[in-house]
Amino acid sequence: MKNFGFSSIKPRVIDYDKNNRTVLDYIMEHEPSFALCIGCGGCAATCSAARFTDMSLRKINILLKRGENDEVRRLINKCMLCGKCTLVCPRGVNTRNVIFLTQQAFKKLDNYAV
Amino acid sequence: MPEKQDEHIVIVGAGTAGCTAAGQLAREGYRISLIEKESKPGGKVNNWYQLFPDRRKSEEVLKYLLGEIDNPLINISLNTDIDSIIKEKKKFLVTTTHGELLPADAILLATGFDLFNPERKEEYGYGIYDDVITSVELEDKFHSGAILTSKGVPPKRVGIVHCVGSRDEKVGNFHCSKVCCVTAVKQAIEIREMLPGTEVFCFYMDMRMFGPYYEELYREAQEKWGVNFIRGKVSEASENIEGRLLIKVEDTLAGRPLKMQVDLLVLMIGIENSLSGKRIAEDLDLKIGINGFFSVLDNHYGNNLSNMEGVFFAGTCTAAMNITDTISHARAAVVEIDSYLKSQKKEVEV
Ligand code: SF4
Ligand code: SF4
Ligand code: SF4
């Protein structure tokens, strides 16, 4: 196809009914503590990766719950799986495992190469 | 048994506060006239199916309140409102809408609250779309044993909107109604319990789980019942071609707008000072606070006292309160009234 230099602008609206939440379902099945996240941002505050990149685990958690997987894919690879986030979470979410499962789910369900 | 007192007290409102105070004052030996505008006592407790945070049946608390006023010293008048209250020296003369004249040594206002009329928030479509209902109407559905939409089917997805008529300058209410966050959580759980296949979403500005076991209930809603919480104030609801409700909100934690279809939208309506209470305030020149409720003499140690000697407050006519706090507040009012009347007696004796 010829490229005329146009691109369509992706709407910023999260369309909940159109989004696909199979990644979320996979996480919930294997790490039920994910339900307890309240989006406080403690994890993102302590995250070493967040100091140098736009990585925010708090944001990833929310986006996963809405089925905004493209953005999650872009962000999640910046995690170094150090586990500091798990230490601070006031709701006892096993955040490190959430990241791990997310990457796994992408591989499995999407056949996406991490 | 304490000795019988000569003094007569008029209590306006036979809800949680009024019944609690009436019962306790009668046990102290005072004669009570309890005035209630509705056809039965119990006030807003009558609206509930189950109570937060423990989801006990509201009937249990109602039974307690009715037990409190089952006392020969309490004379209750139902379907009755206050026509006027006149103060002469230290005494009051209360006229009811039935023309009764009641002399009183003290007045306790336990006039409670009115629910916010959600038609004032037109953007949520209450009164326009059949599947936009209030938290009180949802309790009625729980009572009836079935949660159905206007189409007669169980909803697949329910949205719950927090802060309807509270914390909203647009309707002139700055205050937080305090009890609606936990009500939302309780009702979300009840929906999930009755309809396990139904998704429930709470749209909140802040989760204000101030009371004992409230935060725990919030956790339970997430962990055990899979209730979803989205931080953001719903801006509007509209009906699409299929007759489903489309809501718009900013998912503030994602920093992006979000749209979603729901089959039932439940509005957590806030509470305001009652109209009947405000009329009495005007009549007696009682001060009203910026929140529209009765202004108490001191926020910390005089929150049963009004700016008029002999007039006392109990319960939600002074501020939003849960049942537990209302009962405590009413019991505290009893102590204030009792010591006031005893001090009056001493003055006379001297
Ligand atoms: S495990 Fe990943 S998200 Fe958590 S603190 Fe470490 S780098 Fe950040
Ligand atoms: S610290 Fe825990 S509760 Fe807070 S945003 Fe991160 S995962 Fe969620
Ligand atoms: S208790 Fe919650 S829903 Fe009610 S007014 Fe306060 S913040 Fe809003």
Side-chain angles (χ1 to χ4, degrees), chain A residues 47 49 55 79-85 99:
Chain A
C47 175
M55 162 82 185
C79 167
M80 304 174 285
L81 286 172
C82 70
K84 264 170 85 183
C85 46
I99 298 161

Side-chain angles (χ1 to χ4, degrees), chain A residues 19-98:
Chain A
N19 281 357
N20 179 314
R21 276 172 296 279
T22 40
V23 178
L24 172 66
D25 294 341
Y26 183 79
I27 299 167
M28 290 303 297
E29 191 187 320
H30 295 92
E31 189 50 69
S33 72
F34 190 48
L36 282 164
C37 175
I38 47 170
C40 71
C43 50
T46 194
C47 175
S48 323
R51 290 177 62 196
F52 304 107
T53 70
D54 60 350
M55 162 82 185
S56 160
L57 186 53
R58 193 263 306 148
K59 197 165 182 186
I60 287 177
N61 288 354
I62 300 290
L63 293 170
L64 276 170
K65 290 196 171 166
R66 312 294 178 252
E68 287 286 319
N69 297 342
D70 291 348
E71 174 89 350
V72 174
R73 265 185 207 136
R74 191 179 69 75
L75 292 172
I76 201 130
N77 288 334
K78 296 172 181 166
C79 167
M80 304 174 285
L81 286 172
C82 70
K84 264 170 85 183
C85 46
T86 310
L87 296 178
V88 299
C89 177
R91 281 305 194 93
V93 179
N94 189 342
T95 49
R96 195 176 170 279
N97 198 30
V98 169

